[in-house]
Amino acid sequence: QVHVVESGGGLVQTGGSLRLSCVASGRTFSSYAMGWFRQAPGKEREFVAAISWNYSDTYYADSVKGRFTISRDDAKNTVYLQMNSLKPEDTAVYWCAVDLTGATIWDDEYDYWGQGTQVTVSS
């Protein structure tokens, strides 16, 4: 069992930055991939970013490429999502998820999920 907790959401103006954090505990953090997903009101959940267990691979949705950066600190069992140049369309609930088998963009392949954190970007 893996317990996942996100933090760092909030309200920010267009063009601002936020850093989301996600702590995952319960198993060897360094052995699994991590991903971020989001869901805006009235829309389906979508992939944002993912990072492999050995740091070698990162994946980004086209809508956030160049603005968001995913990283991980295995010593702290933490994955981060640095979000810069935020836009109103980035407003959503953001979830962190654990994939025990490898980094992927498909949410149904993730094994454990956090409770989500709200990000609101005002125009």
Side-chain angles (χ1 to χ4, degrees):
Q1 188 73 16
V2 177
H3 187 52
V4 182
V5 179
E6 307 97 334
S7 62
L11 174 64
V12 64
Q13 292 185 334
T14 296
S17 298
L18 279 176
R19 188 177 79 161
L20 304 183
S21 299
C22 170
V23 178
S25 59
R27 296 181 67 157
T28 305
F29 181 82
S30 59
S31 66
Y32 43 75
M34 302 293 296
W36 286 96
F37 292 79
R38 68 185 182 185
Q39 186 171 21
K43 296 187 176 181
E44 294 188 354
R45 185 165 61 189
E46 63 175 2
F47 168 77
V48 177
I51 186 167
S52 63
W53 67 273
N54 60 355
Y55 301 80
S56 64
D57 298 308
T58 55
Y59 306 90
Y60 295 94
D62 288 343
S63 58
V64 307
K65 205 170 291 183
R67 300 187 298 122
F68 291 11
T69 302
I70 189 170
S71 61
R72 62 189 296 158
D73 184 342
D74 289 348
K76 297 181 178 179
N77 285 9
T78 302
V79 64
Y80 303 98
L81 184 68
Q82 178 66 43
M83 306 186 294
N84 299 329
S85 302
L86 283 161
K87 306 174 181 180
E89 51 264 44
D90 295 316
T91 295
V93 175
Y94 284 72
W95 285 278
C96 174
V98 172
D99 189 329
L100 299 178
T101 57
T104 175
I105 68 172
W106 308 111
D107 60 356
D108 59 356
E109 296 190 14
Y110 283 77
D111 302 284
Y112 300 97
W113 293 78
Q115 81 289 349
T117 186
Q118 176 70 47
V119 171
T120 303
V121 184
S122 63
S123 57

